[in-house]
C-alpha cells in the first residue's frame, strides 16, 4: 500500500499557504565509495515462491479484516518479528506477528501495536506502511502517517521490547520543497544501516501525483539529510509494468551490489515487484520491464497484486522475501491483501563469503574489481592467479560468514624489496587488516615475500558487533608506480597482490 491516489487526494487538497516548513537538508553522499552505475546484468533469481499466504487477514470486523499488507520483518532476540499493516475499511494500523521460521506466524493477541490517535501528529487514516530496524539495542519503526492538514509524512516509533512503542512527537521526514518531486507527499519508508548511518529509502510524490523514489541519511533516525541525487528512481516508460507509478522500495546488500525491490503500478493498476541494482546505493540501474514474478509463478490469491516486499538474509546466502499480494487490481487498498513468501538468490554463482582469485570467474557476471574494491583485473597463470591492489582496498562479506567459525584469512604477496629499490627507501612494509573500522592484525615485511594473515573469528565478531556486514580493509604503508621508476609502462599504483581473502 503506497502513498497512492486515496492518500494523494488528501494531500493535493491541502492548502500549503500559511504552513511553516523547516527547509530540508541536502548532501552529496554514497553508502559505499561509488564506481558508477553497474554495467553488468546482475540477475535476481526466484528460487521458490509459496503458493499460499503465510499471513492471512483477520475475521470480519477485525482491524485487519479487509487487507493485510506491508510486512516488515526483523530478527530480535532470536525471534522473527513481522510488523505488518492491517486495514478494516477505514483505517490502516500496524500489527505484530512472530515466527521462528518465517513461514508459520502467530499474531500478537493485543494487536494493533500502532494506530492513529488524536494526541499525536498522525491523526487520520494511517499509522502503518512502515519499516523496522534494530538500532543500538532498540527497534526503530519508521511509518507513514497523515496529519490534520492532510499531509502524508514519515514518522518514527521506538520500542525496547518490540511490543510497546513510543511515537516521536513530530514527523521525522516531512514534505520536500514545495512543487518539487517530493513536495506533495512522502511515504513508503524502508531503512537500512551501514557504516554508522541509517539510510531511508522512500517514495516522493509531486503536486501532479507522479511518484518517484529517493533516499536520505541520518545518524540518529530523527534528523535526516536528503541526497542531492534525488530522485534516484523514476517511473517506467510507456508499456512497462511501472509506467503508472512506483514505490515501496526494499534494499538488500549482497556485495558488490545493492539490490532494490520495488513495486510498480501498470496502467491497469495491476502491481508487480521489479528490481534495480547499484554499486553505491545511490546510482541505480533498472533491470525490470515486466516485473520479477511471472504469471506462471503467481497464484489466484496474488494474481493481480504483488507488492510491499521486505528482505532478510539467510545463512545459506539466500534471501527470504515477504510480500503483499491480492486478487483485485485496486490502486491503494481493498485488494483482499495477504502476505506471501518467496526466496531469492543474489550470490550470482559465487561464494559470497570468500574471494578466490583462482575461482572460475566465468560462472558469475560480477567483476572481481567490484568485489575487491581498490584492486585491478586478476592476472597470472592458472592456479597462481592474483589481483594487484593499491594502498587501500576492501571487500565486504555478510555477517553470516562468521558462522563458519575458523578465521578470517588473507593470502597474498608483498614486493617489499622491489618497492624499496624503486623508491630508494629502506622502510619496512606494513600490511594491516581492518574490520569495520578497527585494526585487528598487521604484519611487517622487508623482503619480497608471500604472506598469510589469520584473524580469529572471535576477534572479527567483536569488531562487527550488531552490524549485518563485515567490511575488511587492507592497508599498506608503501606502494609504487612502475612507470614512474623505470620499470615498464605500468601506471597503476601497486602495493601488494591478493590471491584469497575470506573465512576458512
Amino acid at each position: 500500500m503506497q502513498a497512492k491516489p486515496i492518500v494523494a487526494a488528501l494531500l493535493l487538497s491541502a492548502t500549503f499557504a500559511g504552513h511553516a516548513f523547516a527547509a530540508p537538508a541536502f548532501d552529496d553522499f554514497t553508502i559505499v565509495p561509488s564506481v558508477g552505475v553497474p554495467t553488468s546484468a546482475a540477475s535476481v533469481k526466484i528460487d521458490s515462491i509459496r503458493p499460499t499466504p503465510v499471513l492471512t487477514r483477520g475475521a470480519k470486523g477485525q482491524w485487519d479484516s479487509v487487507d493485510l499488507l506491508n510486512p516488515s520483518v526483523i530478527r530480535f532476540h532470536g525471534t522473527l518479528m513481522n510488523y505488518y499493516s492491517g486495514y478494516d475499511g477505514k483505517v490502516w494500523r500496524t500489527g505484530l506477528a512472530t515466527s521462528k521460521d518465517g513461514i508459520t506466524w502467530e499474531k500478537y493477541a493485543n494487536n494493533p501495536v500502532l494506530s492513529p490517535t488524536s494526541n499525536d501528529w498522525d491523526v487520520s487514516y494511517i499509522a502503518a506502511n512502515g519499516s523496522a530496524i534494530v538500532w543500538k539495542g532498540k527497534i526503530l519503526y519508521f511509518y507513514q502517517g497523515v496529519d490534520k492538514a492532510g499531509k502524508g509524512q514519515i514518522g518514527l516509533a521506538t520500542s525496547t521490547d518490540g511490543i510497546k512503542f513510543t511515537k516521536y512527537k513530530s514527523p521525522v521526514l516531512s514534505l520536500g520543497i514545495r512543487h518539487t518531486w517530493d513536495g506533495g507527499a512522502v511515504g513508503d519508508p524502508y531503512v537500512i544501516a551501514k557504516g554508522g548511518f541509517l539510510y531511508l529509502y522512500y517514495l516522493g510524490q509531486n503536486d501532479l501525483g507522479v511518484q518517484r523514489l529517493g533516499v536520505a541519511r541520518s545518524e540518529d533516525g530523527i534528523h535526516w539529510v536528503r541526497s542531492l541525487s534525488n530522485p534516484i528512481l523514476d517511473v517506467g516508460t510507456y508499456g512497462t509494468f511501472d509506467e503508472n507509478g512506483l514505490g515501496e522500495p526494499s534494499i538488500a546488500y549482497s556485495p558488490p551490489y545493492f539490490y532494490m525491490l520495488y513495486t510498480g503500478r501498470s496502467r491497469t493498476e495491476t502491481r508487480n515487484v521489479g528490481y534495480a541494482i547499484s554499486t553505491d546505493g545511490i546510482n541505480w540501474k533498472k533491470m525490470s520491464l515486466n516485473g520479477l514474478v511471472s504469471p506462471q509463478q503467481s497464484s489466484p490469491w496474488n494474481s493481480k497484486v504483488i507488492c510491499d516486499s521486505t528482505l532478510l538474509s539467510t545463512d545459506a546466502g539466500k534471501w527470504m522475501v515477504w510480500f503483499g499480494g491480492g486478487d483485485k487490481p485496486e490502486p491503494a487498498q481493498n485488494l483482499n491483501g495477504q502476505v506471501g513468501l518467496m526466496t531469492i538468490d543474489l550470490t550470482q554463482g559465487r561464494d559470497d563469503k570468500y574471494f578466490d582469485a583462482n575461482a572460475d570467474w566465468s560462472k558469475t557476471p560480477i567483476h572481481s574489481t567490484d568485489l575487491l574494491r581498490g584492486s585491478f583485473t586478476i592476472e597470472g597463470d592458472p592456479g597462481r592467479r592474483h589481483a594487484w591492489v593499491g594502498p587501500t582496498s576492501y571487500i565486504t562479506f555478510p555477517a553470516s560468514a562468521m558462522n563458519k567459525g575458523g578465521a578470517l584469512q588473507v593470502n597474498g604477496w608483498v614486493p617489499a624489496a622491489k618497492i624499496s629499490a624503486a623508491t630508494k627507501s629502506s622502510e619496512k612494509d606494513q600490511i594491516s587488516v581492518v574490520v569495520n573500522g578497527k585494526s585487528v592484525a598487521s604484519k611487517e615485511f622487508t623482503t619480497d615475500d608471500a604472506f598469510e594473515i589469520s584473524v580469529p573469528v572471535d576477534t572479527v565478531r567483536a569488531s562487527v558487533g550488531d552490524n549485518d556486514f563485515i567490511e575488511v580493509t587492507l592497508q599498506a604503508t608503501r606502494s609504487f608506480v612502475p612507470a614512474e621508476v623505470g620499470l615498464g609502462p605500468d601506471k597503476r599504483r601497486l602495493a601488494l597482490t591478493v590471491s584469497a581473502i575470506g573465512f576458512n
Side-chain angles (χ1 to χ4, degrees), residues 115-170:
S115 302
T117 65
S118 59
N119 297 326
D120 298 303
W121 70 269
D122 52 336
V123 297
S124 66
Y125 179 63
I126 179 173
N129 196 25
S131 174
I133 191 170
V134 180
W135 176 255
K136 298 181 179 179
K138 294 198 302 185
I139 294 177
L140 307 187
Y141 181 65
F142 298 90
Y143 66 96
Q144 192 171 320
V146 175
D147 67 12
K148 292 180 180 178
K151 298 190 297 289
Q153 301 176 81
I154 294 174
L156 169 64
T158 63
S159 175
T160 56
D161 62 4
I163 297 173
K164 296 179 180 179
F165 281 87
T166 301
K167 294 181 182 178
Y168 191 66
K169 59 185 179 181
S170 58

Side-chain angles (χ1 to χ4, degrees), residues 340-362:
L341 173 64
M342 70 176 89
T343 304
I344 61 175
D345 184 358
L346 303 180
T347 61
Q348 309 297 327
R350 63 187 174 87
D351 184 348
D352 65 349
K353 302 173 179 63
Y354 200 80
F355 175 89
D356 184 359
N358 287 285
D360 185 355
W361 288 89
S362 67

Side-chain angles (χ1 to χ4, degrees), residues 121-435:
W121 70 269
D122 52 336
V123 297
S124 66
Y125 179 63
I126 179 173
N129 196 25
S131 174
I133 191 170
V134 180
W135 176 255
K136 298 181 179 179
K138 294 198 302 185
I139 294 177
L140 307 187
Y141 181 65
F142 298 90
Y143 66 96
Q144 192 171 320
V146 175
D147 67 12
K148 292 180 180 178
K151 298 190 297 289
Q153 301 176 81
I154 294 174
L156 169 64
T158 63
S159 175
T160 56
D161 62 4
I163 297 173
K164 296 179 180 179
F165 281 87
T166 301
K167 294 181 182 178
Y168 191 66
K169 59 185 179 181
S170 58
V172 294
L173 193 75
S174 299
L175 304 184
I177 297 172
R178 189 179 179 186
H179 302 319
T180 61
W181 76 276
D182 60 351
V186 293
D188 292 358
Y190 195 91
V191 65
I192 63 171
K194 197 168 193 310
F197 288 95
L198 293 170
Y199 294 89
L200 178 66
Y201 292 84
Y202 67 98
L203 175 146
Q205 185 169 285
N206 66 13
D207 295 347
L208 299 177
V210 178
Q211 300 169 340
R212 300 177 178 91
L213 298 179
V215 64
R217 183 171 76 170
S218 174
E219 291 184 277
D220 59 9
I222 298 171
H223 304 94
W224 292 89
V225 177
R226 287 166 159 92
S227 170
L228 283 171
S229 298
N230 284 344
I232 57 174
L233 210 66
D234 211 333
V235 293
T237 57
Y238 180 80
T240 58
F241 84 105
D242 57 350
E243 67 172 298
N244 210 36
L246 80 172
E248 299 164 349
S250 60
I251 309 296
Y253 183 42
S254 181
Y257 295 127
F258 292 87
Y259 295 81
M260 178 193 291
L261 300 185
Y262 63 94
T263 302
R265 293 169 46 220
S266 74
R267 73 181 73 173
T268 61
E269 290 300 348
T270 59
R271 278 181 261 168
N272 202 339
V273 172
Y275 77 100
I277 59 174
S278 172
T279 60
D280 59 15
I282 304 296
N283 298 286
W284 292 88
K285 178 181 180 180
K286 277 189 178 183
M287 305 297 293
S288 302
L289 294 177
N290 300 312
L292 183 62
V293 182
S294 68
Q296 293 76 22
Q297 292 171 306
S298 61
S299 301
W301 74 273
N302 61 12
S303 58
K304 300 299 183 181
V305 174
I306 296 176
C307 60
D308 305 332
S309 59
T310 185
L311 303 104
L312 206 61
S313 62
T314 70
D315 291 347
K318 307 295 178 70
W319 291 74
M320 299 179 79
V321 182
W322 293 268
F323 62 92
D327 58 12
K328 294 173 64 178
E330 297 292 336
Q333 53 223 359
N334 298 308
L335 316 171
N336 294 325
Q338 303 182 90
V339 168
L341 173 64
M342 70 176 89
T343 304
I344 61 175
D345 184 358
L346 303 180
T347 61
Q348 309 297 327
R350 63 187 174 87
D351 184 348
D352 65 349
K353 302 173 179 63
Y354 200 80
F355 175 89
D356 184 359
N358 287 285
D360 185 355
W361 288 89
S362 67
K363 292 182 178 180
T364 175
I366 295 178
H367 300 148
S368 64
T369 52
D370 287 341
L371 277 174
L372 183 57
R373 303 289 180 94
S375 70
F376 301 98
T377 302
I378 291 172
E379 57 189 72
D381 298 327
R384 302 179 63 183
R385 293 192 178 103
H386 58 268
W388 277 102
V389 302
T392 301
S393 58
Y394 73 93
I395 188 169
T396 306
F397 301 106
S400 59
M402 295 183 293
N403 295 343
K404 297 176 67 174
L408 169 65
Q409 192 165 299
V410 184
N411 296 89
W413 178 76
V414 178
K418 190 182 295 293
I419 294 175
S420 294
T423 59
K424 297 181 173 56
S425 170
S426 60
E427 295 180 10
K428 295 179 180 180
D429 272 292
Q430 179 173 294
I431 308 301
S432 298
V433 179
V434 179
V435 173

